[in-house]
Amino acid sequence: MKKINSNNQTPESSNKSGFFQRLGNSIHAYFIPNEEQKDMLRYQPHKSAYWLCMFAILLDCLGFCFVYSTLGNVEWTTGVDIIFNILFLLVTFVTAENIKVYNKTASYIGIIIGALEIGHFFWYSLPLYTAGDILTWVMVGDLVCFIAAGAFLLIAGIANFYKSTALNNYLHKIAETDASARLELEQKAKKSK
């Protein structure tokens, strides 16, 4: 017979709800840092969002390798896709570098290129599959790679938006009494010009 606690939950269900509660708290703290975490943002780069951008680059490369290595019928759309991929890789790398230092503008760029990467599957790979130019496994591989890359960029952009906003608000708040915060704000203002 299982022991039931005062909330009419078994210990197993209590552990599960505790896990989900901790997971929810961790996700909340990642996107919306508390006061102590805000101060830590001043000294730590945004590595998790940076690595999400790097994984997006890797997944995009893997996705276009699937297509280009098996594509039999090359048309003008392939040239457009090659140009898109080159621009995507360059913009994503620059965005990752800016996200690492909590640049708020990079958040918007990350979200836009994330949405474009998700669309990339629908305007290039899916029409190739419906025309019979690529195999099913290539289409599925592209689906996974391009959607995951886009999702990683969306998450990185959204997380950076919240963290850069929190850091900027925190710096404005403590700049009244902290000379280093004032200097940091002035440097950020110069970089954004």
Side-chain angles (χ1 to χ4, degrees), residues 46 49-50 53 95-103 106-107 110 156-157 160:
H46 197 178
Y50 172 83
C53 293
T95 301
E97 288 296 323
N98 284 302
I99 278 177
K100 191 165 60 170
V101 294
Y102 303 101
N103 183 322
S107 304
N160 190 61

Side-chain angles (χ1 to χ4, degrees), residues 105-175:
T105 306
S107 304
Y108 303 121
I109 296 170
I111 291 168
I112 291 168
I113 59 177
L116 286 173
E117 183 66 2
I118 291 171
H120 183 201
F121 171 77
F122 294 103
W123 75 64
Y124 186 67
S125 300
L126 193 58
L128 286 176
Y129 177 71
T130 56
D133 290 336
I134 59 173
L135 302 170
T136 303
W137 73 267
V138 175
M139 188 270 301
V140 171
D142 277 356
L143 173 68
V144 171
C145 289
F146 293 154
I147 302 297
F152 286 167
L153 286 166
L154 290 173
I155 292 167
I158 292 168
N160 190 61
F161 175 80
Y162 280 111
K163 284 191 170 193
S164 63
T165 302
L167 177 60
N168 195 34
N169 291 343
Y170 179 73
L171 287 174
H172 280 294
K173 179 179 149 185
I174 65 169

